[in-house]
Amino acid sequence: MTMTKDKPITQIEINRKIWEEILRWGDKNMRDYPWRHSPDGYKILIAEIILHRTKADQVNMIYENFINTYPDLRSIAEAGEDKIKSDLHSLGLAWRSELLYSMSLEILEKYDGTIPRDKADLMDLPGVGHYIASAVLCFGYNLPEPVIDTNTVRVIGRIFGLKITDSSRRSKKFKKFMSDIISHGRPREFSLSLIDFASLICTAGAYPKCNICPLKDICSYHLNQKELT
C-alpha cells in the first residue's frame, strides 16, 4: 500500500490508475511511427531488429521502403544476405543484416514463415532477446506481455519507490509490477504509451517533468522530492 497526501491507496487502485492515466496520456501524445500503424508480428519483428541501438528517426527514413521491398520473410530469404546488407547499410551495424537473414531462413524452415507466438521460440531465433520477443508478442499480437527496458523500468521504479539497477530489466519484481498493470487490458496501446511517456515526461536524469505528470499524486519519487523542498 502507498500513501498519498490525503489517504492510503491500495495496490489494485494504483495499478488501475497507472493504466488509465498512461492510456489517457497516450491517446493524446503517443508518437507516430509507421511500424506502429499495423499490429503485425512480421512488421514489428523487423522494426525492433532495425531499431536496436538506432534512433527511431533514423529508422523512420528507411522502414517503409524496406517493408515495401520485403513484405514477408520469404522475400528476405530470396533476396540474399548481401542485398539485405546493402539496403540497411545506412544504419550501420552490419551484423543486424546477417542476423535478419539467418532469422528469416530459420522461421521459414521451422515455422513455415509464421512468426512464433511463444516467447521461448522467439528467443531461440538469431538476434532475438527478451525485449524483442516481448515487443513482438505485445505490439504484434496484443498479448499482455510486459515490455521492459531502461525507460519503462524508470517509470515503474519511480512510481513504486523501487531501487533501479542495471539488472532491473531482468528483475522478477519489476516484471510482476508490469504484468499486474498491463493485465487491465489494451496491452499494445498501454505499452507504447508507456514507452513514449518515459521518453517525454518521466525522463532520465534528475529533472523529469513532474509538474505535468498525471501520476504525480501517487509517485513515490515526486512525493519524496516534495518532502525535501
Side-chain angles (χ1 to χ4, degrees):
M1 182 180 295
T2 298
M3 294 292 294
T4 65
K5 181 178 179 181
D6 301 314
K7 63 177 182 179
I9 180 171
T10 67
Q11 186 69 54
I12 294 175
E13 290 172 325
I14 291 174
N15 292 343
R16 181 75 187 189
K17 181 175 176 64
I18 295 169
W19 181 78
E20 290 176 345
E21 294 294 349
I22 292 296
L23 279 173
R24 186 176 292 116
W25 181 90
D27 286 341
K28 296 179 180 179
N29 301 286
M30 192 164 66
R31 294 176 294 189
D32 182 34
Y33 293 115
W35 51 88
R36 293 182 171 185
H37 292 175
S38 174
D40 179 291
Y42 169 72
K43 292 180 179 179
I44 298 300
L45 181 58
I46 297 301
E48 292 300 333
I49 290 175
I50 297 176
L51 282 164
H52 187 62
R53 296 186 185 177
T54 307
K55 293 181 179 180
D57 289 341
Q58 291 177 271
V59 173
N60 202 22
M61 297 172 62
I62 72 159
Y63 171 80
E64 288 186 288
N65 285 336
F66 188 89
I67 289 296
N68 288 334
T69 304
Y70 307 104
D72 52 34
L73 292 164
R74 189 167 300 281
S75 59
I76 292 177
E78 291 175 350
E81 186 176 327
D82 290 342
K83 183 65 167 62
I84 302 303
K85 281 184 180 181
S86 175
D87 288 347
L88 296 178
H89 175 73
S90 63
L91 295 178
L93 299 176
W95 55 267
R96 279 185 304 191
S97 303
E98 298 170 4
L99 289 174
L100 182 56
Y101 177 71
S102 299
M103 180 195 69
S104 299
L105 295 179
E106 190 163 324
I107 295 176
L108 286 166
E109 180 181 347
K110 288 186 176 181
Y111 305 104
D112 197 27
T114 301
I115 309 297
R117 293 195 178 207
D118 179 81
K119 188 171 183 179
D121 289 340
L122 283 167
M123 291 182 62
D124 278 342
L125 298 173
V128 177
H130 281 282
Y131 181 85
I132 292 179
S134 296
V136 170
L137 295 176
C138 184
F139 304 152
Y141 299 129
N142 201 29
L143 297 176
E145 171 69 28
V147 181
I148 303 175
D149 66 1
T150 302
N151 296 311
T152 57
V153 158
R154 182 172 64 253
V155 177
I156 298 303
R158 282 175 173 170
I159 291 173
F160 293 106
L162 304 175
K163 183 179 180 181
I164 301 172
T165 67
D166 291 340
S167 63
S168 293
R169 288 174 294 170
R170 297 178 293 279
S171 165
K172 292 182 179 179
K173 179 183 291 186
F174 277 86
K175 184 176 181 179
K176 178 67 165 58
F177 276 109
M178 288 283 288
S179 296
D180 288 345
I181 296 168
I182 206 173
S183 68
H184 286 285
R186 296 176 63 188
R188 180 177 185 273
E189 290 89 346
F190 173 82
S191 297
L192 289 172
S193 297
L194 183 62
I195 289 170
D196 288 354
F197 182 83
S199 178
L200 301 173
I201 302 297
C202 195
T203 53
Y207 301 103
K209 299 174 182 177
C210 296
N211 60 315
I212 58 173
C213 175
L215 297 170
K216 61 184 178 183
D217 60 330
I218 62 166
C219 178
S220 294
Y221 178 87
H222 175 66
L223 296 174
N224 288 336
Q225 292 296 106
K226 284 181 65 177
E227 291 179 3
L228 295 175
T229 59

